[in-house]
């Protein structure tokens, strides 16, 4: 297949060619030498057919911080506990999170290996192009690129909307006469996105250091919440009640089905570690640093997540006392019921709000790098504009601005229909799951075809096929259940419209591909040079 096997050449010829191309790459790049990365980075860029136009100023710790903070595992577990309590109860929270953790290990081992093989900002759509059969690689890669681009744009609004509405919930707790309006939430979303844009532009050079600082907030903030909750809780569940009592508040046919549907919260708390992949052209020694950062980011968030899970399971002794709270967020009511203090509740909720707002900074960076990378391959409308990077300001500024504008436009939908906005936000989960299914499925198909895989400094070796298969089994199951509503009977305002959004993006991308994309899109495999 083109892009994997080159003509037979001698070692000296290969060495000479690599030296020439390394020289040309350095000469043609606007980036200062210290930001060009290692020799391995330069070699990877040659192999991938790319020119270094972004600074490689992320290291191991800052990359771990970037991924761990963006995923916001423990923050999401607290913020979205409503869904898990409704479908599954405290036992559903624990076992749902455990299933998600097991699945994540296999999913991100697969992602880490592919990231080591091809450390490019394109991520999944690039891997699909390299690993899929030749007859379908262009179309599948194009669809994957669109799914990723729209999914990550939706995630920016999703996290911003969560932070904004939690602020509204906190105001409601402190002022019972407050009547939250949709336009209040929209303004808060815009404010959060604007704050993240400032960090992604004026502080672009300091972003790695900022992520390290936020990482410590992410870690220490959890202890500032769970310690008061566990110490001050007037009563706690027994181990059997906390971990074995399931709840079917959604009126599903079985408790098991309810628990599977309640997986949405723990799944969302561990989904998206490919965010670091989309920053790979800004990571020093990416083919080694990137997979290690993903692995340790997962480990860190799993540990923090379990602390949050155990705290929720043992302190929520009466779910009905917090599920129907006026704040719309059960965790806010839980904090107040345990501390019996407005000041204490405000401080603990503020920690979660700050963490979520900081996560939006990383969301903007990821979303903008994704559309920038896809645009440089001609995958999006206005690709020349979106793919432009100024030599004097080496960040994809146009893509960052477009991500900001998309955030504003999408948030305005809340003024007309909160249901429509939630449908767009929920697209993130289905989009990321689909991108993992496609990319891991393609590398598995390549293994089954017994075709040689690109070399990787972080390889699964003989275990690769088994890891890929197990990851796909979990992913397909998750993908099916992410389209279920949270309760029955289903009404238009309680329907999960995610399937409509996902199907709409798929149809739109296919139509655009037939009309224009197939003529202008350059699949990454065409410029890959694995013989160097």
């Amino acid at each position: 297949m083109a892009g994997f096997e080159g003509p037979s050449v001698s070692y000296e010829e290969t060495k000479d060619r690599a030296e020439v191309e390394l020289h040309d790459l350095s000469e043609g790049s606007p980036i200062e030498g210290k930001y060009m990365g290692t020799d391995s980075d330069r070699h990877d860029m040659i192999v991938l057919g790319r020119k270094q136009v972004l600074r490689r100023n992320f290291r191991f710790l800052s990359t771990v911080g970037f991924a761990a903070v963006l995923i916001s595992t423990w923050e999401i577990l607290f913020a979205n506990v409503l869904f898990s309590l409704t479908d599954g109860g405290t036992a559903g929270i624990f076992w749902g999170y455990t299933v998600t953790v097991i699945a994540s290990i296999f999913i991100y081992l697969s992602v880490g290996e592919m990231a080591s093989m091809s450390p490019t900002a394109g991520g999944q759509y690039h891997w699909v192009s390299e690993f899929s059969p030749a007859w379908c690689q262009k179309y599948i890669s194009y669809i994957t690129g669109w799914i990723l681009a729209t999914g990550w744009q939706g995630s920016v609004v999703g996290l911003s909307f969560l932070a904004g509405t939690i602020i509204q919930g906190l105001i409601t707790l402190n002022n019972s006469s407050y009547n939250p309006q949709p336009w209040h939430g929209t303004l808060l979303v815009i404010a959060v996105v604007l704050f993240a844009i400032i960090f992604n532009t004026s502080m672009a050079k300091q972003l790695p250091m900022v992520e390290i600082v936020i990482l410590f907030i992410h870690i220490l903030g959890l202890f500032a919440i769970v310690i008061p909750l566990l110490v001050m809780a007037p009563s706690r569940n027994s181990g059997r009640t906390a971990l074995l009592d399931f709840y079917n508040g959604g009126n599903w046919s079985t408790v098991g089905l309810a628990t599977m549907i309640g997986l949405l919260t723990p799944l969302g708390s561990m989904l998206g570690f490919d965010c670091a992949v989309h920053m790979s052209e800004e990571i020093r020694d990416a083919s080694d640093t990137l997979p290690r950062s993903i692995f340790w980011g997962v480990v860190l968030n799993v540990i923090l997540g379990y602390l949050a899970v155990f705290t929720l399971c043992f302190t929520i002794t009466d779910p009905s006392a917090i599920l129907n709270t006026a704040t719309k967020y059960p965790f806010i009511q839980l904090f107040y019921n345990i501390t019996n203090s407005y000041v204490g509740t405000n401080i603990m909720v503020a920690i979660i709000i700050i963490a979520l707002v900081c996560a939006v900074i990383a969301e903007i960076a990821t979303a903008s790098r994704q559309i920038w990378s896809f645009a440089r391959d001609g995958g999006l409308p206005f690709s020349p504009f979106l793919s432009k990077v100024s030599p004097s300001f080496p960040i994809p500024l146009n893509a960052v601005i477009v991500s900001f504008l998309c955030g504003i436009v999408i948030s305005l939908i809340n003024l007309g229909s909160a249901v429509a906005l939630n449908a767009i936000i929920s697209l993130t989960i289905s989009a990321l799951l689909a991108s993992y299914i496609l990319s891991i499925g393609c590398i598995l198909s390549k293994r089954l075809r017994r075709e040689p895989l690109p070399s990787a400094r972080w390889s699964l070796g003989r275990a690769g096929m088994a890891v890929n298969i197990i990851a796909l089994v979990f992913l397909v199951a998750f993908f099916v259940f992410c389209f279920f509503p949270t309760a029955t009977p289903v009404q238009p305002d309680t329907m999960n419209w995610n399937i409509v959004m996902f199907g709409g993006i798929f149809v739109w991308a296919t139509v655009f591909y037939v009309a224009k994309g197939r003529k202008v899109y350059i699949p990454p495999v065409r410029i890959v040079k694995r013989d160097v």
Side-chain angles (χ1 to χ4, degrees), residues 103-157:
S104 296
I105 292 171
F106 293 97
I107 293 167
Y108 294 120
L109 283 175
S110 300
V111 168
E113 182 185 46
M114 292 186 289
S116 186
M117 292 175 179
S118 299
T120 169
Q124 291 93 306
Y125 87 85
H126 177 105
W127 302 334
V128 167
S129 181
E130 274 209 79
F131 304 144
S132 61
W135 63 272
C136 63
Q137 65 85 15
K138 185 174 183 179
Y139 170 69
I140 299 179
S141 172
Y142 186 81
I143 293 297
T144 305
W146 265 96
I147 289 173
L148 269 176
T150 52
W152 276 112
Q153 293 300 320
S155 73
V156 172
V157 180

Side-chain angles (χ1 to χ4, degrees), residues 50 125-126 372-380 383 387 520-524 527:
R50 307 295 187 184
Y125 87 85
H126 177 105
W372 164 74
S373 179
F374 195 40
R376 67 180 172 181
D377 290 325
L380 294 170
S383 285
S387 61
V520 299
Y521 176 57
I522 303 172
I527 60 175

Side-chain angles (χ1 to χ4, degrees), residues 34-48:
K34 65 178 181 179
Y35 293 120
M36 286 289 289
T38 63
D39 287 343
S40 179
D41 291 323
R42 296 184 178 94
H43 179 266
D44 287 337
M45 294 299 280
I46 293 172
V47 170
L48 298 173

